[in-house]
Amino acid sequence: MSSYLASKSAFKVLPMSMTCYIKIILTVFFYFLQTATIYAKDVEIGGRLQGVSELNPDNETQDLFLRRTRVNILYRPAPNQKVSFDLRNDNANKQDDGDGKFAIGDAYWQLKKLNYKIRIFRSKVDVSYSATSSSKHLLEPNRLSSIDFASNFIVHNRRATNIQINSNFQKLFYQVVVSDGIQSGDLEDVQGNSAQEITSQNFSYGGKIRYFLVGSEEKNSIQDTFYGQGNTLSLGIGYFANDRIKYSFDDQEYLTSRNLTNIELSYAYKSFRFLSEFFQFNNDLIDIENKVFKNSQAHYIQAEYVIGKLAPYIGYEVFYKSDFKNENRSLTQLVGINYYLENEKMHWGANFKRIETGTAIDNNNEIFSTYLMTDF
């Protein structure tokens, strides 16, 4: 009798225990679901794919590669804060690069107080207007050579770990930054020889000011193209330097310094877009074996006119490595056309680029490219 009652009692307790267990599970589940829903409102996830096809008759090469493959994450933990992070695998399958590897691009925390935006960790240093423009707003996937050179002259990939303050006063924008410096591959001479190692260096530092004669920093973001919808006129000047760079070559250590001056003009009115920049590279490495350092200069212009969804564009760049002689000059001419299906969300285009170099550089090329640029 007692065993019968015990079994009956256990039978009654079991459903009650299971019911409580299910209630606990459901309570926890809906709590996390509610929490995730709240945080999901503050999280944005996106990506970028830019594919390029290149034909180079001079080298008898054909290449199809992903210029940019990226995953972007943006999180807003508070109304005046944001965390931006992206993983990227750029130039996958380009020439002999293979599949490539994912690396960290932007990775910064921003705090906004009044008119000040304080960013720490990895965020773009404004060494160039076009280099600061998001790649989704470029006329074509590849920037001109002087822009890429400026992006690594003082700060590696213009986003080495840094601390920066961005602010504006009426129509004047400015940035002040202290940053990590360059890498050994950034100390490369005309013939492609580079330092073995950067054994030590000071912090890089500098700043940029940009004055808007038409528009403002808040209304006009930094973009190579405005898709025929812009109305802005601005002038900017920046100065960035590293006062002490110790490097090794042939098992010997040497000491150098360098600085960069950048001047920009940006104009857009309805369908017409014009952008020009000047670069002064002081103490540029010309010949690493003979320790030859000289000043280099470069300037470029690019213009676009949007007609409906079609947008023909041109570019012209002159880059003097050291002396202003034709043997040290690199001249790039670019003509192309874009079709803006959904502006930065999707557009494709084609261009022809001719690169003529002097005997000291000897890197002539004619390249025909087609591309598809997407952002989501």
Side-chain angles (χ1 to χ4, degrees):
M1 184 68 176
S2 59
S3 61
Y4 170 76
L5 293 174
S7 62
K8 189 175 181 180
S9 175
F11 180 76
K12 290 181 178 179
V13 171
L14 180 60
M16 292 177 60
S17 300
M18 184 63 72
T19 302
C20 292
Y21 182 67
I22 292 173
K23 286 182 178 179
I24 292 172
I25 292 177
L26 290 175
T27 302
V28 172
F29 172 76
F30 284 112
Y31 172 77
F32 280 109
L33 181 63
Q34 184 181 21
T35 303
T37 303
I38 294 172
Y39 280 101
K41 297 177 182 178
D42 301 318
V43 176
E44 297 177 15
I45 300 176
R48 190 167 304 159
L49 293 172
Q50 297 182 357
V52 180
S53 170
E54 287 187 351
L55 304 178
N56 189 332
D58 291 335
N59 296 332
E60 297 183 345
T61 60
Q62 301 177 4
D63 203 6
L64 185 64
F65 61 96
L66 279 171
R67 176 62 183 87
R68 291 176 178 88
T69 310
R70 299 181 180 178
V71 178
N72 308 310
I73 301 174
L74 180 64
Y75 171 54
R76 295 183 176 86
N80 62 338
Q81 299 179 39
K82 73 175 181 179
V83 177
S84 181
F85 181 87
D86 78 74
L87 289 174
R88 58 184 61 191
N89 182 3
D90 291 350
N91 294 315
N93 300 121
K94 184 174 183 180
Q95 298 176 359
D96 194 34
D97 289 346
D99 293 338
K101 297 180 180 179
F102 276 92
I104 298 174
D106 284 339
Y108 65 86
W109 171 75
Q110 175 181 289
L111 173 65
K112 184 176 181 181
K113 286 289 188 181
L114 300 176
N115 286 334
Y116 297 95
K117 294 179 182 178
I118 303 170
R119 290 182 177 181
I120 60 173
F121 305 130
R122 289 175 58 89
S123 180
K124 283 184 179 180
V125 177
D126 199 345
V127 296
S128 157
Y129 184 104
S130 183
T132 302
S133 169
S134 171
S135 58
K136 66 183 178 182
H137 297 305
L138 297 179
L139 294 179
E140 59 134 351
N142 296 307
R143 294 179 174 92
L144 294 169
S145 61
S146 61
I147 302 168
D148 285 338
F149 193 74
S151 298
N152 293 284
F153 194 70
I154 303 296
V155 177
H156 178 70
N157 199 24
R158 84 253 193 234
R159 55 161 60 85
T161 304
N162 64 80
I163 302 171
Q164 58 179 256
I165 299 174
N166 301 274
S167 186
N168 61 81
F169 177 73
Q170 296 181 353
K171 290 184 174 290
L172 180 69
F173 163 84
Y174 62 90
Q175 179 188 89
V176 179
V177 62
V178 175
S179 173
D180 189 39
I182 62 173
Q183 296 183 2
S184 57
D186 302 328
L187 271 179
E188 183 179 81
D189 68 10
V190 173
Q191 300 304 319
N193 303 310
S194 61
Q196 292 174 328
E197 181 184 4
I198 302 293
T199 55
S200 67
Q201 62 181 316
N202 288 354
F203 290 135
S204 295
Y205 63 91
K208 165 71 71 74
I209 58 172
R210 181 177 294 117
Y211 185 78
F212 288 85
L213 289 89
V214 177
S216 66
E217 187 268 337
E218 294 181 346
K219 295 180 180 179
N220 304 105
S221 59
I222 306 303
Q223 300 178 199
D224 272 27
T225 177
F226 289 101
Y227 312 99
Q229 302 169 2
N231 186 19
T232 182
L233 174 61
S234 66
L235 296 169
I237 183 169
Y239 177 83
F240 303 89
N242 192 312
D243 297 330
R244 178 184 171 276
I245 303 171
K246 182 180 285 189
Y247 68 96
S248 62
F249 181 76
D250 278 348
D251 298 323
Q252 298 290 324
E253 286 195 339
Y254 304 96
L255 197 63
T256 187
S257 62
R258 49 178 29 184
N259 62 72
L260 163 66
T261 300
N262 166 243
I263 301 174
E264 66 180 48
L265 167 63
S266 172
Y267 174 71
Y269 181 71
K270 296 183 178 179
S271 296
F272 181 67
R273 175 74 171 117
F274 178 86
L275 177 63
S276 180
E277 293 192 81
F278 167 84
F279 302 96
Q280 174 79 25
F281 304 100
N282 286 337
N283 224 16
D284 185 17
L285 177 58
I286 306 302
D287 185 346
I288 194 168
E289 291 187 359
N290 297 305
K291 301 184 290 296
V292 177
F293 291 83
K294 293 187 177 181
N295 297 338
S296 298
Q297 286 187 359
H299 67 269
Y300 76 86
I301 60 171
Q302 62 184 38
E304 172 194 47
Y305 194 85
V306 180
I307 308 168
K309 291 184 178 294
L310 288 174
Y313 64 89
I314 59 171
Y316 183 85
E317 176 192 57
V318 179
F319 197 159
Y320 282 99
K321 299 289 285 185
S322 71
D323 303 325
F324 294 98
K325 298 178 181 178
N326 288 339
E327 63 185 38
N328 301 317
R329 186 188 69 176
S330 174
L331 175 64
T332 301
Q333 301 168 74
L334 174 69
V335 59
I337 188 168
N338 283 321
Y339 182 80
Y340 294 129
L341 181 64
E342 296 183 61
N343 293 347
E344 75 275 11
K345 297 297 182 183
M346 179 177 291
H347 74 266
W348 60 79
N351 65 39
F352 176 75
K353 183 182 295 183
R354 174 180 289 142
I355 303 172
E356 301 175 359
T357 60
T359 55
I361 303 173
D362 193 21
N363 187 27
N364 295 320
N365 273 302
E366 291 186 349
I367 304 172
F368 177 75
S369 301
T370 59
Y371 48 87
L372 171 63
M373 302 169 64
T374 67
D375 190 82
F376 50 90

